[in-house]
Amino acid sequence: RALTNHATVRVAMSRGSSAGYDRHITIFSPQGKLYQVEYAFKAVRNANVTSIGVRGKDCVIVVTQKKVADKLIVPSSVTHMFKITPTIGCVATGLVPDSKNQVMRARQEAAEFKYKNGYDIPVSYLAKRVADICQVYTQHAFMRPLGVVPMFCGIDFEGKEAIPQLYKVDPAGFFVGYKAIAAGHKEQEANNLLEKKVKAAENGMTFDQAMEAAILTLQTALGSDVKPKDIEVGVVTAADPKFRILTEEEVDKRLSIISDRD
């Protein structure tokens, strides 16, 4: 009977479904998939929040949805945007508790780097460190991948030259720099729109163009106009390299400019 059971399990597992192979994070399926890692990507999409990042000539703009789940919650306490250092911002798309954990670790890495080396951590190196940690989470049975996709933005200076940086890290530990990128629920639709906008601005976007591209892409992907209280906008520029989250009044002003232009 035991042999029969084993045979049944083997047949079920060879059918190409996830049967059995999604029980452990460290086991590949016959198709070469790690199902638990794929489920982490799904968890990010299921959080129903879309975020956009756009890199301009001398700035980076990040925009994300802000959803207050309950009327009793203080809206200002709900955020997906975090400061890692005064000059590096992060938009975390996905599960909020996982986001807070990853932000805390990123802050720790940034502080440690500055203490050891005497200068601020470059955005690319911070993204690499966070990605390395995410990758370790896919190797051990006693860990689980975090259901969060962080985007890091900032301005790196090489001599007097200011270089805007935008990086995205995924739960599998893959990271790369982008001219523009989306994450979350409507990721694919937003990325298709961003490709066209980046292609149209061959020489890079100005601050106003990048701001318009980010907000319009989010509006179009969601299929509706957004109100100032529905979104968060973070900016970092070469002139003012400190990461700043716009106030509701500033967001309203930007939305009015965009709607007037339409």
Side-chain angles (χ1 to χ4, degrees):
R1 192 177 290 168
L3 283 170
T4 316
N5 287 346
H6 277 301
T8 313
V9 169
R10 225 182 352 248
V11 169
M13 289 170 99
S14 63
R15 275 185 198 142
S17 72
S18 66
Y21 290 102
D22 59 356
R23 305 279 175 92
H24 294 281
I25 194 165
T26 49
I27 295 175
F28 282 102
S29 77
Q31 284 75 40
K33 290 183 176 184
L34 285 171
Y35 284 105
Q36 286 295 323
V37 179
E38 289 189 12
Y39 296 161
F41 282 86
K42 212 173 262 185
V44 174
R45 285 196 295 275
N46 290 350
N48 265 342
V49 170
T50 306
S51 305
I52 313 282
V54 177
R55 196 183 79 176
K57 274 187 274 197
D58 57 357
C59 64
V60 184
I61 312 291
V62 283
V63 181
T64 186
Q65 283 177 275
K66 179 174 178 166
K67 290 185 175 178
V68 183
D70 196 318
K71 286 188 174 132
L72 298 174
I73 293 172
V74 178
S76 60
S77 67
V78 177
T79 184
H80 292 282
M81 287 200 182
F82 306 91
K83 263 187 194 180
I84 305 300
T85 70
T87 54
I88 298 177
C90 172
V91 182
T93 314
L95 308 176
V96 178
D98 286 12
S99 306
K100 299 243 170 118
N101 176 271
Q102 201 158 62
V103 165
M104 194 171 68
R105 184 60 196 261
R107 284 173 179 161
Q108 188 185 329
E109 291 291 333
E112 225 165 85
F113 183 94
K114 186 159 188 182
Y115 176 72
K116 283 178 182 170
N117 301 288
Y119 64 96
D120 286 332
I121 190 168
V123 183
S124 56
Y125 189 74
L126 177 67
K128 180 188 182 299
R129 283 296 303 140
V130 172
D132 286 349
I133 294 157
C134 287
Q135 203 278 328
V136 168
Y137 283 16
T138 68
Q139 292 182 43
H140 298 289
F142 56 85
M143 289 174 166
R144 71 165 175 83
L146 297 176
V148 59
V149 172
M151 283 186 218
F152 296 104
C153 63
I155 307 279
D156 283 348
F157 287 92
E158 286 184 14
K160 285 188 178 174
E161 192 190 354
I163 303 161
Q165 302 277 14
L166 175 65
Y167 279 83
K168 184 173 98 163
V169 181
D170 70 27
F174 176 75
F175 82 103
V176 74
Y178 290 94
K179 293 174 184 173
I181 191 63
H185 188 55
K186 297 276 185 181
E187 182 177 341
Q188 197 51 58
E189 296 92 321
N191 279 336
N192 294 341
L193 293 161
L194 287 169
E195 266 179 46
K196 290 173 191 163
K197 289 186 193 296
V198 168
K199 201 175 178 184
E202 280 177 23
N203 303 320
M205 299 184 202
T206 62
F207 178 80
D208 289 334
Q209 285 172 330
M211 180 70 77
E212 190 175 319
I215 293 173
L216 269 179
T217 300
L218 186 63
Q219 281 191 346
T220 313
L222 296 174
S224 64
D225 288 348
V226 292
K227 296 186 182 79
K229 65 174 179 19
D230 296 336
I231 62 168
E232 290 181 282
V233 182
V235 300
V236 61
T237 63
D240 179 16
K242 285 193 162 46
F243 179 71
R244 198 167 70 82
I245 298 167
L246 300 190
T247 63
E248 220 168 275
E249 290 75 29
E250 288 174 301
V251 175
D252 193 22
K253 216 175 277 180
R254 285 283 162 191
L255 289 172
S256 302
I257 292 167
I258 290 165
S259 61
D260 291 348
R261 218 170 274 169
D262 288 350

